[in-house]
């Protein structure tokens, strides 16, 4: 599946957009190892940020300067109030863990529910909206009809990397995520890294 990104501002910073396709995977409950890591990680985030203004954290400030509705920010706000995220399934848990660990917006969709092409558009309000060829759409930060279920076998995952992260580091992070993902879910993966204006 090819991603097309429509630009609403003529002079915009460039970001890297990672597109990962997973095939023949098995979605299930998270293994205890992942559940435990997600819980412990949230507890460490709580102690690290309990007295901080999240919007002033450099990595977060960079994103809030680029777009509205930063996907991981509501999760961090809940953690700051000791409202920890419960485990849902292995795919969502790993996506949330990785997103919070590196402060990266991640969109994870059931590829079999999508039609080519997939477009990402920065709206007039500053949000990132996605839409497939059949008109199915949603905000990058919200759930949708194309999100993951126990029946999902093929996944499209989109990761946004801020201007401060180099192409080399972006690739290294994608490789780290895909390795963890395949270890838990089996199957195969391939990725593409594109540079886009935001």
């Amino acid at each position: 599946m090819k991603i097309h990104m429509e630009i609403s501002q003529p002079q915009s910073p460039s970001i890297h957009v990672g597109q990962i396709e997973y095939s023949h995977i098995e979605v299930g409950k998270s293994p205890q190892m992942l559940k435990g890591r997600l819980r412990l990680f949230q507890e460490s985030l709580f102690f690290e940020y309990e007295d901080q203004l999240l919007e002033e954290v450099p990595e977060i400030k960079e994103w809030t300067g680029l777009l509205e509705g930063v996907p991981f920010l509501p999760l961090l706000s809940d953690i700051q109030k000791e409202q920890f995220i419960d485990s849902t399934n292995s795919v969502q848990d790993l996506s949330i863990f990785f997103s919070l660990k590196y402060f990266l917006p991640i969109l994870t969709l059931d590829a079999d529910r999508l039609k080519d092409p997939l477009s990402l558009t920065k709206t007039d309000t500053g949000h990132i909206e996605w839409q497939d060829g059949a008109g199915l759409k949603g905000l990058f930060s919200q759930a949708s009809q194309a999100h993951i279920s126990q029946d999902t076998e093929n996944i499209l995952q989109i990761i946004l990397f801020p201007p401060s992260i180099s192409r080399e580091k972006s690739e290294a992070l994608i490789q780290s995520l895909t390795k963890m993902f395949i270890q838990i879910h089996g199957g195969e993966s391939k990725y593409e890294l594109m540079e886009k204006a935001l």
Side-chain angles (χ1 to χ4, degrees):
M1 178 167 287
K2 298 299 292 183
I3 292 177
H4 172 66
M5 193 158 187
E6 298 173 18
I7 310 307
S8 58
Q9 299 175 2
Q11 293 181 330
S12 307
S14 291
I15 65 169
H16 287 108
V17 180
Q19 172 183 329
I20 309 171
E21 295 181 49
Y22 298 100
S23 55
H24 311 300
I25 60 123
E26 292 186 11
V27 181
K29 293 181 179 179
S30 286
Q32 196 58 45
M33 172 273 296
L34 179 55
K35 282 185 182 179
R37 284 185 71 179
L38 183 60
R39 176 69 186 203
L40 286 172
F41 182 59
Q42 290 182 80
E43 291 174 359
S44 70
L45 287 174
F46 167 73
F47 288 114
E48 185 171 357
Y49 295 111
E50 62 175 325
D51 297 322
Q52 289 195 48
L53 186 64
L54 292 176
E55 286 79 2
E56 293 303 317
V57 176
E59 296 90 343
I60 297 173
K61 193 172 183 178
E62 182 176 22
W63 277 120
T64 55
L66 293 171
L67 55 88
E68 294 292 328
V70 179
F72 54 78
L73 195 50
L75 300 177
L76 276 172
S77 296
D78 287 344
I79 290 169
Q80 206 174 33
K81 302 167 193 166
E82 279 193 284
Q83 297 171 4
F84 296 145
I85 305 153
D86 291 328
S87 174
T88 51
N89 61 55
S90 50
V91 171
Q92 298 292 64
D93 288 359
L94 184 54
S95 298
I96 288 170
F97 175 78
F98 205 84
S99 178
L100 290 174
K101 185 172 178 63
Y102 297 104
F103 294 131
L104 298 173
I106 297 178
L107 179 65
T108 306
L109 303 170
D110 186 326
D112 293 328
R113 301 187 189 187
L114 301 172
K115 300 286 186 185
D116 268 330
L118 187 78
S119 66
L120 297 179
T121 306
K122 188 174 182 181
T123 67
D124 292 339
T125 59
H127 292 82
I128 298 291
E129 183 181 75
W130 63 269
Q131 180 170 331
D132 78 343
L136 188 65
K137 63 182 180 179
L139 293 180
F140 207 96
S141 55
Q142 292 180 343
S144 77
Q145 297 174 45
H147 272 238
I148 307 306
S149 73
Q150 299 285 338
D151 298 324
T152 299
E153 296 180 353
N154 301 294
I155 283 176
L156 175 67
Q157 199 165 54
I158 303 166
I159 307 177
L160 306 184
F161 297 93
S164 62
I165 295 184
S166 68
R167 181 181 182 88
E168 290 73 23
K169 185 172 181 184
S170 299
E171 280 208 66
L173 287 172
I174 288 177
Q175 290 167 4
S176 175
L177 173 58
T178 54
K179 182 179 179 181
M180 291 173 64
F181 197 97
I182 295 300
Q183 283 177 344
I184 292 174
H185 303 98
E188 302 169 348
S189 69
K190 62 179 180 179
Y191 74 85
E192 184 178 358
L193 188 61
M194 300 156 280
E195 187 170 339
K196 302 286 185 181
L198 185 59

